[in-house]
Amino acid sequence: MKLLDEEFRVVPKDYLVNLTHDCALGFDVFSFNVDETGHVVNHTQIADARTECIKLSEELRDHGGADVLIKDHSYKQLQKLLEKSVGDIIRCADTSIEKKSEVIYECASNVMQDVFDDPRSGQNINRTRKISSHIIDFALQSDASIPSLLALGSHDYYTFTHCINVTVFGIGLWNYIVEGSIDELMDFTLGCMFHDVGKTKVSEQILNKPGKLNDDEFSEIKKHPRHGYHLMKDYLPRASLDVILHHHERIDGSGYPDGLTENMISDNAKIASIADVYDALTTNRSYSDARKPFNAVLLMKDQMVGFFEQEKFLKFIKMLGNS
């Protein structure tokens, strides 16, 4: 679809219909028409920055189009409003699972980008707690929720989207095999969301190196679990910190940073490890193209013997098959 000019961005109407807060939008909203070729031919302002969210929501319920326009520079403001409304969107029976997934993933991506810019910000940590709670609520709503979220995962590797993907895979597997409370699931989820936050202490040159890392560079990468632990140790529960610190441990003791073996590794860390490796293999990296899901699982099975607890790995495969 071609817009009138590059300053506009198309957003689904459903994003705005569910903005139920009693506050001003802070940006303009436009309806638009397209010609037979799908090109935008005109647009009409339907709300300005002073319009209350609730009022716009009511008007849009009668709006015929599926999408609306906002100015591109307003998108960050929209994301913040959506973040406040995620709970209402999840609970809305009229909103499809696909649209709910889009909003959750969009908000989570925005939150995690901010986390990696400022990991110790109390505001960003609280935002992560809230979006994690929403992800859990959505995941438990329907068997289709996890696959719907995973379908949105970026095919290119970014640390912040990788953390979200690992969280979604992790919640799916945790809920499949662990008989725990919501509070325990929340602690695990926070650990997954922050599991790679220690990479903020590793140089971009090493993180984005297109070729194989040398021994010194790999030694720096191996420090990120400890970096993450120390960044978050005053802010997160012990179970969350355990995932951050031990998601690279292996059953055979060849992992890092502590060389733990078998029962020395928590179930949470074992689950996060499987999700971490699988997502890394199925996304494009600076040094490797994304593998197809079947090929990724085969590689984990044949070339990573001793890395994962076999029972959990087999249940992960079964979970993928049911998705």
Side-chain angles (χ1 to χ4, degrees):
M1 181 181 290
K2 183 179 179 181
L3 301 184
L4 291 168
D5 55 60
E6 294 181 356
E7 67 175 330
F8 286 103
R9 179 189 287 250
V10 176
V11 297
K13 182 182 72 172
D14 285 350
Y15 281 21
L16 298 171
V17 166
N18 290 289
L19 295 180
T20 56
H21 292 279
D22 188 15
C23 63
L25 277 171
F27 53 87
D28 301 332
V29 180
F30 305 84
S31 63
F32 64 96
N33 296 313
V34 296
D35 60 21
E36 62 277 4
T37 65
H39 289 184
V40 173
V41 291
N42 59 62
H43 65 292
T44 304
Q45 185 169 329
I46 56 177
D48 61 27
R50 297 167 297 179
T51 304
E52 290 188 355
C53 293
I54 292 177
K55 183 178 180 181
L56 177 64
S57 175
E58 292 171 351
E59 291 179 357
L60 285 178
R61 292 182 190 280
D62 298 323
H63 177 63
D67 301 315
V68 293
L69 299 179
I70 64 171
K71 296 290 184 68
D72 195 64
H73 66 76
S74 301
Y75 197 61
K76 192 75 171 179
Q77 291 171 279
L78 172 61
Q79 287 178 315
K80 289 182 178 179
L81 284 176
L82 286 173
E83 205 174 308
K84 294 178 181 178
S85 302
V86 172
D88 293 331
I89 293 170
I90 291 172
R91 289 186 291 272
C92 181
D94 295 331
T95 302
S96 69
I97 286 180
E98 291 74 22
K99 291 297 182 187
K100 291 178 182 180
S101 297
E102 289 175 13
V103 172
I104 293 169
Y105 202 94
E106 182 78 25
C107 290
S109 296
N110 188 46
V111 170
M112 293 312 295
Q113 285 185 71
D114 290 344
V115 164
F116 276 84
D117 287 338
D118 190 0
R120 280 180 165 164
S121 161
Q123 181 182 19
N124 289 340
I125 292 170
N126 286 334
R127 289 168 65 204
T128 307
R129 289 182 187 278
K130 290 178 182 177
I131 196 65
S132 296
S133 178
H134 292 317
I135 293 173
I136 291 170
D137 288 346
F138 180 63
L140 298 180
Q141 258 190 9
S142 164
D143 290 342
S145 297
I146 293 289
S148 182
L149 280 172
L150 291 175
L152 298 173
S154 174
H155 294 295
D156 295 315
Y157 182 92
Y158 302 99
T159 304
F160 68 92
T161 52
H162 170 64
C163 288
I164 300 167
N165 296 344
V166 168
T167 297
V168 177
F169 279 121
I171 289 173
L173 182 55
W174 194 98
N175 196 49
Y176 190 57
I177 64 177
V178 178
E179 294 182 3
S181 68
I182 291 295
D183 288 342
E184 290 171 323
L185 176 55
M186 182 64 177
D187 289 348
F188 169 74
T189 298
L190 285 172
C192 290
M193 289 289 272
F194 286 103
H195 82 278
D196 268 351
V197 72
K199 288 184 177 178
T200 59
K201 296 293 186 180
V202 180
S203 76
E204 290 287 333
Q205 184 178 2
I206 292 176
L207 291 175
N208 299 322
K209 184 177 179 179
K212 184 178 180 180
L213 298 178
N214 61 38
D215 290 344
D216 289 339
E217 291 167 337
F218 188 52
S219 292
E220 286 301 309
I221 283 285
K222 288 168 68 176
K223 293 177 182 178
H224 81 266
R226 289 204 190 281
H227 288 322
Y229 173 85
H230 288 295
L231 279 170
M232 293 293 114
K233 66 184 179 68
D234 295 328
Y235 306 99
L236 298 181
R238 182 179 300 177
S240 306
L241 295 172
D242 172 65
V243 172
I244 294 171
L245 186 60
H246 294 134
H247 66 277
H248 279 292
E249 300 290 354
R250 300 171 180 171
I251 298 300
D252 63 6
S254 64
Y256 60 87
D258 295 321
L260 303 181
T261 60
E262 298 188 3
N263 293 336
M264 297 169 67
I265 308 169
S266 69
D267 286 342
N268 282 354
K270 290 173 181 176
I271 292 169
S273 173
I274 294 170
D276 180 43
V277 172
Y278 179 79
D279 184 67
L281 290 173
T282 52
T283 51
N284 292 317
R285 309 293 291 267
S286 58
Y287 53 83
S288 176
D289 291 336
R291 292 170 172 82
K292 299 290 186 183
F294 176 80
N295 293 334
V297 169
L298 198 61
L299 187 151
M300 293 170 73
K301 174 181 176 293
D302 293 341
Q303 298 183 35
M304 297 183 179
V305 177
F307 282 29
F308 316 112
E309 185 179 290
Q310 189 69 4
E311 182 182 359
K312 288 180 174 58
F313 179 59
L314 291 175
K315 288 185 176 180
F316 180 70
I317 296 173
K318 187 173 181 180
M319 183 196 81
L320 291 177
N322 292 335
S323 298

